[in-house]
mmCIF file of all heavy atoms in Angstrom:
data_model
loop_
_atom_site.group_PDB
_atom_site.id
_atom_site.type_symbol
_atom_site.label_atom_id
_atom_site.label_comp_id
_atom_site.label_asym_id
_atom_site.label_seq_id
_atom_site.Cartn_x
_atom_site.Cartn_y
_atom_site.Cartn_z
ATOM 1 N N LEU W 249 122.239 133.251 87.546
ATOM 2 C CA LEU W 249 123.082 134.349 87.052
ATOM 3 C C LEU W 249 123.711 134.042 85.698
ATOM 4 O O LEU W 249 124.458 133.068 85.552
ATOM 5 C CB LEU W 249 124.194 134.626 88.076
ATOM 6 C CG LEU W 249 125.205 135.722 87.703
ATOM 7 C CD1 LEU W 249 124.536 137.095 87.648
ATOM 8 C CD2 LEU W 249 126.389 135.729 88.700
ATOM 9 N N TYR W 250 123.403 134.913 84.719
ATOM 10 C CA TYR W 250 124.047 134.805 83.409
ATOM 11 C C TYR W 250 125.436 135.408 83.480
ATOM 12 O O TYR W 250 125.670 136.395 84.185
ATOM 13 C CB TYR W 250 123.312 135.673 82.378
ATOM 14 C CG TYR W 250 122.025 135.153 81.840
ATOM 15 C CD1 TYR W 250 120.821 135.756 82.198
ATOM 16 C CD2 TYR W 250 121.995 134.115 80.912
ATOM 17 C CE1 TYR W 250 119.613 135.329 81.658
ATOM 18 C CE2 TYR W 250 120.791 133.685 80.375
ATOM 19 C CZ TYR W 250 119.607 134.289 80.744
ATOM 20 O OH TYR W 250 118.426 133.865 80.211
ATOM 21 N N MET W 251 126.338 134.838 82.714
ATOM 22 C CA MET W 251 127.617 135.526 82.503
ATOM 23 C C MET W 251 128.120 135.215 81.102
ATOM 24 O O MET W 251 127.924 134.098 80.608
ATOM 25 C CB MET W 251 128.644 135.136 83.553
ATOM 26 C CG MET W 251 128.994 133.693 83.577
ATOM 27 S SD MET W 251 129.614 133.263 85.198
ATOM 28 C CE MET W 251 128.160 133.541 86.190
ATOM 29 N N PRO W 252 128.732 136.210 80.456
ATOM 30 C CA PRO W 252 129.227 135.976 79.096
ATOM 31 C C PRO W 252 130.329 134.920 79.114
ATOM 32 O O PRO W 252 131.273 135.014 79.904
ATOM 33 C CB PRO W 252 129.796 137.350 78.685
ATOM 34 C CG PRO W 252 129.162 138.341 79.630
ATOM 35 C CD PRO W 252 128.965 137.596 80.907
ATOM 36 N N LYS W 257 136.990 136.445 83.668
ATOM 37 C CA LYS W 257 136.935 136.966 85.030
ATOM 38 C C LYS W 257 135.596 136.592 85.688
ATOM 39 O O LYS W 257 135.542 136.193 86.857
ATOM 40 C CB LYS W 257 137.089 138.485 84.971
ATOM 41 C CG LYS W 257 137.723 139.064 86.194
ATOM 42 C CD LYS W 257 138.006 140.541 85.982
ATOM 43 C CE LYS W 257 137.947 141.252 87.307
ATOM 44 N NZ LYS W 257 137.877 142.700 87.161
ATOM 45 N N ALA W 258 134.519 136.714 84.926
ATOM 46 C CA ALA W 258 133.194 136.380 85.462
ATOM 47 C C ALA W 258 133.090 134.885 85.760
ATOM 48 O O ALA W 258 132.544 134.484 86.795
ATOM 49 C CB ALA W 258 132.107 136.806 84.483
ATOM 50 N N LYS W 261 134.905 134.474 88.988
ATOM 51 C CA LYS W 261 134.214 135.126 90.105
ATOM 52 C C LYS W 261 132.994 134.320 90.545
ATOM 53 O O LYS W 261 132.627 134.305 91.719
ATOM 54 C CB LYS W 261 133.782 136.537 89.669
ATOM 55 C CG LYS W 261 133.147 137.326 90.798
ATOM 56 C CD LYS W 261 133.235 138.820 90.561
ATOM 57 C CE LYS W 261 132.621 139.590 91.698
ATOM 58 N NZ LYS W 261 133.609 140.120 92.622
ATOM 59 N N ASP W 273 126.997 131.753 79.290
ATOM 60 C CA ASP W 273 126.364 132.098 78.014
ATOM 61 C C ASP W 273 127.296 132.054 76.811
ATOM 62 O O ASP W 273 128.367 132.668 76.814
ATOM 63 C CB ASP W 273 125.742 133.501 78.129
ATOM 64 C CG ASP W 273 124.900 133.841 76.908
ATOM 65 O OD1 ASP W 273 124.366 132.906 76.280
ATOM 66 O OD2 ASP W 273 124.771 135.046 76.589
ATOM 67 N N SER W 277 125.242 137.213 74.576
ATOM 68 C CA SER W 277 126.277 138.091 75.121
ATOM 69 C C SER W 277 127.652 137.834 74.504
ATOM 70 O O SER W 277 128.641 138.437 74.933
ATOM 71 C CB SER W 277 126.358 137.932 76.651
ATOM 72 O OG SER W 277 126.912 136.676 76.981
ATOM 73 N N ARG W 307 124.432 128.031 78.269
ATOM 74 C CA ARG W 307 123.474 128.488 77.265
ATOM 75 C C ARG W 307 124.123 128.402 75.894
ATOM 76 O O ARG W 307 125.085 129.117 75.611
ATOM 77 C CB ARG W 307 122.969 129.909 77.529
ATOM 78 C CG ARG W 307 121.885 130.263 76.465
ATOM 79 C CD ARG W 307 121.023 131.431 76.852
ATOM 80 N NE ARG W 307 121.672 132.698 76.595
ATOM 81 C CZ ARG W 307 121.034 133.878 76.590
ATOM 82 N NH1 ARG W 307 119.729 133.927 76.840
ATOM 83 N NH2 ARG W 307 121.699 134.986 76.377
ATOM 84 N N ILE W 436 120.785 147.671 86.385
ATOM 85 C CA ILE W 436 121.579 147.124 87.491
ATOM 86 C C ILE W 436 121.611 148.064 88.699
ATOM 87 O O ILE W 436 121.609 147.618 89.845
ATOM 88 C CB ILE W 436 123.030 146.833 87.003
ATOM 89 C CG1 ILE W 436 122.994 145.749 85.921
ATOM 90 C CG2 ILE W 436 123.928 146.409 88.154
ATOM 91 C CD1 ILE W 436 124.288 145.612 85.126
ATOM 92 N N ILE W 460 121.667 139.381 85.921
ATOM 93 C CA ILE W 460 122.783 139.765 85.051
ATOM 94 C C ILE W 460 123.989 140.289 85.821
ATOM 95 O O ILE W 460 125.045 140.498 85.233
ATOM 96 C CB ILE W 460 122.341 140.834 84.022
ATOM 97 C CG1 ILE W 460 121.615 141.972 84.718
ATOM 98 C CG2 ILE W 460 121.496 140.185 82.935
ATOM 99 C CD1 ILE W 460 121.288 143.147 83.798
ATOM 100 N N HIS W 461 123.823 140.517 87.130
ATOM 101 C CA HIS W 461 124.925 141.115 87.892
ATOM 102 C C HIS W 461 124.940 140.544 89.320
ATOM 103 O O HIS W 461 123.881 140.302 89.895
ATOM 104 C CB HIS W 461 124.745 142.643 87.935
ATOM 105 C CG HIS W 461 125.958 143.390 88.395
ATOM 106 N ND1 HIS W 461 126.221 143.615 89.728
ATOM 107 C CD2 HIS W 461 126.982 143.945 87.698
ATOM 108 C CE1 HIS W 461 127.361 144.286 89.837
ATOM 109 N NE2 HIS W 461 127.843 144.493 88.622
ATOM 110 N N PRO W 462 126.156 140.351 89.874
ATOM 111 C CA PRO W 462 126.258 139.789 91.229
ATOM 112 C C PRO W 462 125.460 140.576 92.278
ATOM 113 O O PRO W 462 124.967 139.997 93.258
ATOM 114 C CB PRO W 462 127.759 139.853 91.538
ATOM 115 C CG PRO W 462 128.425 139.819 90.203
ATOM 116 C CD PRO W 462 127.502 140.538 89.265
HETATM 117 N N1 COA S 738 128.672 137.207 86.426
HETATM 118 C C1 COA S 738 129.796 137.140 87.168
HETATM 119 N N2 COA S 738 130.525 138.203 87.550
HETATM 120 C C2 COA S 738 130.104 139.406 87.124
HETATM 121 C C3 COA S 738 128.954 139.559 86.340
HETATM 122 C C4 COA S 738 128.230 138.405 85.977
HETATM 123 N N3 COA S 738 127.120 138.461 85.231
HETATM 124 N N4 COA S 738 128.756 140.855 86.082
HETATM 125 C C5 COA S 738 129.759 141.519 86.678
HETATM 126 N N5 COA S 738 130.577 140.641 87.307
HETATM 127 C C6 COA S 738 131.775 140.960 88.104
HETATM 128 C C7 COA S 738 132.782 141.787 87.355
HETATM 129 O O1 COA S 738 133.660 140.939 86.675
HETATM 130 C C8 COA S 738 133.442 142.539 88.476
HETATM 131 O O2 COA S 738 134.333 141.643 89.122
HETATM 132 P P1 COA S 738 135.542 142.207 90.039
HETATM 133 O O3 COA S 738 134.936 142.912 91.198
HETATM 134 O O4 COA S 738 136.286 140.969 90.426
HETATM 135 O O5 COA S 738 136.317 143.124 89.141
HETATM 136 C C9 COA S 738 132.310 142.792 89.455
HETATM 137 O O6 COA S 738 131.337 141.754 89.190
HETATM 138 C C10 COA S 738 131.651 144.140 89.290
HETATM 139 O O7 COA S 738 131.225 144.316 87.957
HETATM 140 P P2 COA S 738 130.825 145.762 87.382
HETATM 141 O O8 COA S 738 132.047 146.579 87.164
HETATM 142 O O9 COA S 738 129.768 146.336 88.231
HETATM 143 O O10 COA S 738 130.157 145.386 86.004
HETATM 144 P P3 COA S 738 130.863 145.372 84.570
HETATM 145 O O11 COA S 738 130.832 146.759 84.008
HETATM 146 O O12 COA S 738 132.164 144.667 84.657
HETATM 147 O O13 COA S 738 129.848 144.466 83.742
HETATM 148 C C11 COA S 738 127.901 143.861 82.507
HETATM 149 C C12 COA S 738 128.527 144.888 83.447
HETATM 150 C C13 COA S 738 126.467 144.202 82.253
HETATM 151 C C14 COA S 738 128.697 143.846 81.182
HETATM 152 C C15 COA S 738 128.028 142.477 83.197
HETATM 153 O O14 COA S 738 127.368 142.576 84.441
HETATM 154 C C16 COA S 738 127.509 141.310 82.411
HETATM 155 O O15 COA S 738 128.167 140.850 81.482
HETATM 156 N N6 COA S 738 126.327 140.741 82.780
HETATM 157 C C17 COA S 738 125.789 139.552 82.161
HETATM 158 C C18 COA S 738 125.348 139.791 80.731
HETATM 159 C C19 COA S 738 124.799 138.542 80.115
HETATM 160 O O16 COA S 738 125.261 137.438 80.353
HETATM 161 N N7 COA S 738 123.751 138.680 79.265
HETATM 162 C C20 COA S 738 123.112 137.563 78.624
HETATM 163 C C21 COA S 738 121.778 137.253 79.204
HETATM 164 S S1 COA S 738 120.653 138.592 79.302
#
Side-chain angles (χ1 to χ4, degrees):
L249 178 66
Y250 283 109
M251 61 204 65
K257 209 173 151 194
K261 184 157 181 101
D273 188 28
S277 71
R307 184 162 80 166
I436 296 166
I460 50 173
H461 194 274

